[in-house]
Structures are given as structure tokens and as C-alpha cells.
Amino acid sequence: CVFRERKGNYTKMKIKKIFCILMALVIIFVPLELVSAEESNIFKVSTSQELADAINTINNGDEDAEYVIEILNDIALTHRVHYTHNSLMHFEKGTTTIYGNGSTFTSSFNSDIVLFVSDSAVVNLGSADEPEKSKLFFNGTNNKSTHPNLMHIDGNATVNMYAGVVFQNNSQMGRFGGAISVGEIDSECNAELNMYGGEIRNCKDTYLGYGGAVLVGLNSTFNMCDGIIENNESHYGGGVCNLGTFNMYGGVIQNNTAGQVADDICSEGSISIAVAANATNGFGKLTSTGKPITGWFEDGNNDNNYRWGAVMTETEVPPGGEDSGEKPGEGSGTDTEGGGDSWGDGGDVDIPRLQT
């Protein structure tokens, strides 16, 4: 009995040894595809359907989950993610970083918003440490569109935009903001756009006429840290029309056109501008008062003599008195080189109330 028991154990050991050898060979010659939880949140897409499927997966995921979408080639968007809002891409939750890799989004669905970010979603258009991967174009150089917006941010959503991302060539129909609307003009929300780079160019809102590039709605915020907003057109605020909060810490806003008021920025809300006032750096800074500016601003694109001026009321007097002959930007204030409005904080300017 003892012998047989030993023989049985020997047989079992031999079988285990053979099994281990076979497993080792499998691992060497047939690598196992092990997918971590983080890797499963990375989507590499090359078609409109793949992109729509990725977004639907994200919207059905966890609120605090993080995702990455990598665009592998140009995509003509033909699939609606959200029919209620007529949006081709609609993010409702989670934090998603989109890398364009130099690709372009186009669509013939001109009645749809291209990118809609709502609820508690956070969307990063690129990232600071991946400038080449971040390159993404909403409309190509030769594409023209009439989308309600190229991007709309609503609810408590946030979009962070980085260098390499370009919104261009849209003449909006049916909404406010030629390229981007942050919030709404007739209802309050906490939408936020942080522009750390990129460009918004060659867009128009001449249909409703508020914000050729960006419309900032009630209680919403646009923080511009870098980037360029240029060659856009509207009736009020050829570049930016602000009803909420606009903070300009850097970047360039130039050569925009307004048919009625304010080539570059028209504001009824809170506005703070902290960049140098010269033609190279874009808009201007008030250093004479240190207060947030509320008013209209022109860059001279409509044959206006006051390139960096806030419009004064009749009761305001520039430095040097009524007969000094000084123009805004030529006064004795403390603004940086290149001139600027050194004679006041905009005062109680009579800005036409936006019609809702």
C-alpha cells in the first residue's frame, strides 16, 4: 500500500510538471492579451460610428471615470449621439480627453451642434503636454458650415481647450455664438470654458448677432489664458459677447468685426482683462483703476480711431481735461506700452440690452 501511494504521488507530480512546462511554452509563444481597467477606457476611433459608440459607452459609465478618445483620421460626422438636442457628439458625464492627432471633423448635418457638453461632464480638447497629439480641427480650411454651434457647453460642464485645437469657418444659424456658446442667454447655468491655447477664427453670428466667436451666457464663465480669436464677425461683439464672466489672462483677440458695437469684446457681465495693451499682444489692460472693466471695446477694424478704448459716457472726461485733445491710449495713465485705456474703467456705458 505504501508503494502504491508513493507511485500515485509520483504520477501526480509528473503530470503537474508537464502541465507547468506546457503553460510556460504558451506564455512564451502566445502572449496573453491582458487589458487593464485603464486601457479599457481608451478608445481609438476612425469612423463616425466608432466615435458615437465610444461616447455612448462614456455616457453610460461612472460619473468620476476618466477616458481618452484618440482620433486616427479625418471623420465626417454622420451619427447623432443625442437626438433631443440634435448633437453629433454629446458628453454628459465623466472626464474625457480627446486627441485629434491632426484630424478634422466635418459634417453635412448643418442643423446639429457638433460638440455638446452638458450636465457634469468635463472634456479636455487636447492637453498641455501633448501639443502634436492635441491638433484637432472643427471644419477644414476649405469647409464652410452653418451649424447652430461648433460647440455648446451647458449645465455644470467644463471644457478645457489646448494649443492645436481650431474652431473655424462656421456661420451659425439658430443660436448665439458663431463658433462656441458657453451657457445660455435666457437661463442661468455654471458652464465653463478654459482656453489654454488654440484658435477660433473665421466664424460668424450675423443671424442673431451676439458673439462672432464666443457667446458667454448668464452665470457662465470664459477664462482665456492663451490662444487666438481673430477674423470673426457679429453685430455685438465680433470676437466675444459676454453676459456672464470673461477673464482674459493672456492670448490675442484681434481683427474681429462688429456691425453695431464692439469689434473684439462686448460685455454686459463681469469682465477682467490682464494682458498688455498693444497690437502685438492683442487686447488691453486697465492699470489706472485696477477694477474689472464693464463696457464696449473696439480694435479699430471698423475704421474706429480708438483701438484700445472702452466707450465712455458723455459725462466722462479723459486725462488732461475736455480740451486736451487726447484720445484713449494717448493719455498720461500707467498702461503698458502700445497705448491703452488709461482714463477710466468703462463707467456706466449704455450697452444695448441683448434681446432674449
Side-chain angles (χ1 to χ4, degrees):
C1 290
V2 174
F3 176 78
R4 285 183 179 178
E5 186 176 351
R6 288 177 179 174
K7 187 177 181 181
N9 289 338
Y10 174 78
T11 303
K12 291 179 181 178
M13 290 175 63
K14 191 173 182 180
I15 292 173
K16 288 182 179 179
K17 187 175 181 181
I18 294 171
F19 179 77
C20 290
I21 293 172
L22 290 174
M23 287 300 297
L25 291 172
V26 168
I27 292 172
I28 292 172
F29 294 106
V30 186
L32 296 177
E33 291 274 341
L34 298 177
V35 179
S36 67
E38 290 184 359
E39 288 175 331
S40 67
N41 287 351
I42 299 175
F43 303 92
K44 297 187 177 184
V45 303
S46 56
T47 68
S48 179
Q49 183 63 65
E50 289 175 351
L51 180 57
D53 291 343
I55 296 172
N56 284 325
T57 299
I58 292 168
N59 289 337
N60 289 321
D62 296 332
E63 290 280 353
D64 58 351
E66 296 184 6
Y67 304 90
V68 173
I69 296 178
E70 289 205 34
I71 311 300
L72 302 181
N73 48 247
D74 295 348
I75 295 180
L77 300 169
T78 56
H79 294 79
R80 278 184 181 152
V81 172
H82 204 302
Y83 282 86
T84 303
H85 295 290
N86 282 12
S87 51
L88 296 167
M89 294 181 285
H90 188 173
F91 293 86
E92 300 175 89
K93 62 171 66 171
T95 298
T96 304
T97 299
I98 301 175
Y99 289 119
N101 293 301
S103 301
T104 299
F105 285 139
T106 58
S107 179
S108 59
F109 286 39
N110 281 319
S111 62
D112 287 36
I113 296 170
V114 177
L115 174 59
F116 193 160
V117 186
S118 69
D119 298 271
S120 60
V122 176
V123 171
N124 301 313
L125 295 174
S127 65
D129 55 352
E130 293 281 3
E132 287 301 314
K133 288 181 64 175
S134 298
K135 290 181 180 179
L136 177 62
F137 298 86
F138 288 77
N139 276 341
T141 303
N142 298 317
N143 295 117
K144 305 291 183 182
S145 64
T146 56
H147 294 287
N149 290 125
L150 292 177
M151 179 169 70
H152 175 54
I153 312 169
D154 208 341
N156 295 308
T158 299
V159 172
N160 300 306
M161 176 179 169
Y162 292 91
V165 177
V166 178
F167 291 87
Q168 61 185 358
N169 302 331
N170 187 59
S171 298
Q172 78 83 20
M173 296 288 285
R175 285 189 53 81
F176 300 91
I180 299 170
S181 58
V182 187
E184 300 286 356
I185 69 167
D186 55 358
S187 61
E188 293 189 1
C189 61
N190 295 305
E192 184 172 317
L193 170 62
N194 300 309
M195 186 175 179
Y196 299 108
E199 299 180 45
I200 307 171
R201 63 196 184 200
N202 304 326
C203 291
K204 296 181 181 181
D205 177 5
T206 51
Y207 181 73
L208 296 174
Y210 300 111
V214 180
L215 181 281
V216 186
L218 297 174
N219 208 48
S220 295
T221 302
F222 176 24
N223 296 310
M224 185 176 181
C225 301
D226 206 343
I228 301 174
I229 297 175
E230 64 180 356
N231 300 326
N232 303 286
E233 182 180 353
S234 187
H235 299 318
Y236 297 95
V240 176
C241 185
N242 173 50
L243 283 75
T245 298
F246 175 43
N247 300 311
M248 187 176 178
Y249 304 107
V252 175
I253 301 180
Q254 64 184 9
N255 300 327
N256 301 287
T257 302
Q260 297 295 324
V261 169
D263 289 339
D264 284 334
I265 303 172
C266 179
S267 180
E268 285 190 351
S270 172
I271 183 168
S272 176
I273 298 173
V275 293
N278 58 60
T280 300
N281 291 333
F283 201 69
K285 174 185 178 181
L286 280 183
T287 58
S288 55
T289 63
K291 297 178 181 179
I293 308 168
T294 300
W296 309 341
F297 307 92
E298 302 280 350
D299 74 348
N301 198 41
N302 285 337
D303 298 321
N304 187 298
N305 293 324
Y306 304 151
R307 182 167 180 79
W308 303 116
V311 174
M312 296 187 299
T313 61
E314 294 179 358
T315 58
E316 292 177 309
V317 180
E322 293 183 359
D323 299 324
S324 67
E326 294 178 351
K327 295 179 181 179
E330 298 177 348
S332 55
T334 58
D335 288 81
T336 55
E337 63 175 322
D341 175 6
S342 59
W343 40 263
D345 63 357
D348 297 322
V349 291
D350 297 322
I351 301 175
R353 169 61 59 179
L354 303 188
Q355 299 298 314
T356 61

